Amino acid sequence: MIRTLSVIGALFAGTAAMAQDSVPIQPMDVNAARAELGKRMFYDPRLSGDTSLACASCHMPDKAFTDGEALSQAYSGAMHFRNSPTLANVGYRAAWMHDGRLGTNLNDVAREMITETYLMNMDMRIMQERMKQDPKYVEMFAAAGMSEPSNGGARNALMDFMKTIVSRGAPIDSGDLTSSAERGRLIFEGKGQCSSCHSGPRYSDDKPHNTGVPNNPDIWSDPERHSAFVTYGKFMGVENYMNLREDLGAYIRTHTPDTKRSFLTPTLRELTYTAPYMHNGVFETLEEVVEFYNAGGGDDDLKDSRLKPLGLAASEKGDLVEFLKSMSGDTYDVDAYVWREDDFGYQLIDDWRNATN
Ligand code: HEC
Ligand code: HEC
């Protein structure tokens, strides 16, 4: 089923008119046929070396395209050392990955996901041939204006699909907040200083900051995670990577000491679906996150000076959690993502979000 992008546009025009303070996320410009192709690829396990993982294995629609784990899974024989981030509104980010190491083009992220040994471990030369053997892909590439399946075309298609993943229906956009959430907003914008980093329509400045989030010891106690972490450290040229027992965050690309343990501000949209939280999933609930900020963040010499103990009363903490929840939009239509085996392989049967909503 192909839902045209103009339909989404019309829905958004409707919500925009009702919006009060907050700015709803606007749909992005994409080639609709290419996005449809990218969507099929996103759910296709043939994009991983041993056909065991699809993008959707770690970015599940019913979890706002996260995986619900503190630390992500990985290709067979490895485990990941980071939390799988939401893909909601990901096309608008200025940089990607928790350390911001990819910042030019969203289709570069698609390549890293596919080819990285501890992600999908796929040789793109084989991927291209696999796609050429599937008549449905041949047809869809042609419909998207490409003569045949190619790696560049595949990456662009995944990019266009990801750009269609935009939030909608959040109470914050319609101005439909409970009085508790309204009180939470005052803390968020006032003494909490949350909005100094969590700014703009996505509630992110896309910049790295040190908030003192504690390390997740599972990275070093699990040999499969540790070996993936070491591989990453070595590739990024960080000194002494064998003995490293902390995630250095943005330092891994800047190599400037004051960026140690700083991570990109995540979006606060869709938090209801994206637990656990932080780059390493150390907090299971929003209550724990608010407790962390109430204590002035974690314990780190390089911590951002805006984080100070807030002394919030229990009711204020509850209000802040309510406000954070008001940034989550419509639930995702899980059944719509089922793949069914057809004669050749797999066929996507429906759209990723409930179009009637
Ligand atoms: C094995 C699990 C896994 C698979 C499979 C996977 N991802 Fe990811 N993805 C992750 C993790 C973990 C991160 C964060 C990595 C980091 O910060 O170093 C991530 C990050 C991303 C990001 C950056 C998001 C942001 O806000 O910075 C995008 C975009 C993305 N993945 C898209 C995809 C696409 C497209 C595919 C399929 C081609 C895919 N992923 C397959 C686990 C996975
Ligand atoms: C100095 C900038 C800064 C300030 C101020 C700040 N944050 Fe954050 N916030 C971040 C960064 C950076 C992260 C990610 C840290 C990590 O992954 O280790 C984060 C993570 C979060 C998360 C987890 C999101 C997720 O998907 O994992 C929530 C929720 C959050 N902040 C809410 C708040 C609230 C509420 C306040 C105010 C009390 C606040 N933040 C103040 C920078 C900031």
Side-chain angles (χ1 to χ4, degrees), residues 48-197:
S48 61
D50 65 357
T51 70
S52 65
L53 288 171
C55 307
S57 309
C58 305
H59 300 286
M60 303 172 185
D62 58 320
K63 297 186 167 68
F65 296 92
T66 63
D67 65 3
E69 305 287 336
L71 299 168
S72 174
Q73 54 174 321
Y75 194 78
S76 171
M79 289 295 276
H80 210 284
F81 48 88
R82 294 259 170 89
N83 179 263
S84 167
T86 179
L87 300 186
N89 318 308
V90 75
Y92 282 108
R93 290 217 83 163
W96 295 280
M97 315 304 252
H98 292 290
D99 47 25
R101 69 184 183 276
L102 296 176
T104 320
N105 205 325
L106 186 53
N107 64 20
D108 292 337
V109 186
R111 175 175 51 201
E112 167 133 347
M113 292 290 138
I114 295 166
T115 59
E116 183 54 73
T117 47
Y118 48 80
L119 285 159
M120 297 171 88
N121 199 15
M122 182 70 194
D123 182 327
M124 290 189 88
R125 290 168 303 185
I126 291 181
M127 185 178 95
Q128 181 170 304
E129 298 311 320
R130 280 186 192 166
M131 287 189 300
K132 281 186 196 164
Q133 289 182 4
D134 179 343
K136 184 74 185 162
Y137 274 131
V138 173
E139 183 192 309
M140 292 181 94
F141 270 85
M146 294 176 270
S147 55
E148 61 174 10
S150 72
N151 292 331
R155 285 165 51 203
N156 285 337
L158 282 166
M159 172 176 73
D160 273 8
F161 167 61
M162 287 193 279
K163 285 182 175 177
T164 67
I165 305 173
V166 287
S167 298
R168 67 173 192 234
I172 183 112
D173 295 328
S174 57
D176 193 15
L177 297 190
T178 62
S179 49
S180 167
E182 281 294 359
R183 291 192 298 272
R185 182 205 286 260
L186 295 178
I187 301 167
F188 189 87
E189 290 167 359
K191 67 177 165 187
Q193 294 197 63
C194 316
S195 51
S196 65
C197 299

Side-chain angles (χ1 to χ4, degrees), residues 24-38:
I25 307 290
Q26 297 303 311
M28 299 187 88
D29 234 359
V30 299
N31 173 321
R34 223 163 63 168
E36 195 60 28
L37 166 62

